[in-house]
């Protein structure tokens, strides 16, 4: 999950639109509160109480991300294959114009 938001905030400061999830509502809320301290990180969309599989089961997110980071998560997954399949389903399809 996003934990305290360290990577999420770093990516946002570099200009990325960030959606950050964590299974803990409390952890995501703490990260969201911290993100409000910097104008460049205030737009991070924190979603607590959510797993990668939960996000992938929401139609609006399928195929909508350029990058999906799964850090410090797979070792806690009861079904790593399901986790990675869900993560891959969130990625945009490659463009035919891409090398």
């Amino acid at each position: 999950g996003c934990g305290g938001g360290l990577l999420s905030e770093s990516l946002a400061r570099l200009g990325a639109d960030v959606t950050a999830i964590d299974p803990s509502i409390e952890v995501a809320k703490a990260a969201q509160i911290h993100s409000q301290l910097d104008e460049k990180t205030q737009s991070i969309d924190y979603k607590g109480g959510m797993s990668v599989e939960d996000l992938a089961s929401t139609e609006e997110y399928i195929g909508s991300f350029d990058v999906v980071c799964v850090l410090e998560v797979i070792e806690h997954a009861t079904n790593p294959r399901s986790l990675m399949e869900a993560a891959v389903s969130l990625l945009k399809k490659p463009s035919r114009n891409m090398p």
Side-chain angles (χ1 to χ4, degrees):
C2 66
L6 295 175
L7 178 62
S8 301
E9 289 188 9
S10 294
L11 292 171
R13 284 188 191 101
L14 291 171
D17 293 325
V18 178
T19 300
I21 63 171
D22 198 281
S24 169
I25 293 170
E26 294 81 14
V27 168
K29 181 65 177 169
Q32 190 273 327
I33 290 168
H34 185 268
S35 73
Q36 297 309 298
L37 300 174
D38 183 338
E39 186 177 302
K40 291 182 178 182
T41 62
Q42 291 175 357
S43 65
I44 298 171
D45 182 12
Y46 283 101
K47 298 182 179 303
M50 184 170 279
S51 69
V52 175
E53 291 92 342
D54 294 335
L55 194 68
S57 71
T58 307
E59 189 66 34
E60 70 181 287
Y61 293 108
I62 299 296
S64 65
F65 295 96
D66 294 315
V67 175
V68 175
C69 298
V70 182
L71 306 171
E72 304 291 332
V73 173
I74 198 162
E75 64 271 24
H76 303 288
T78 55
N79 187 340
R81 179 177 293 277
S82 173
L83 169 68
M84 296 312 295
E85 287 173 351
V88 168
S89 76
L90 295 169
L91 291 169
K92 291 179 181 175
K93 301 282 187 241
S95 167
R96 292 196 170 151
N97 297 328
M98 292 178 70

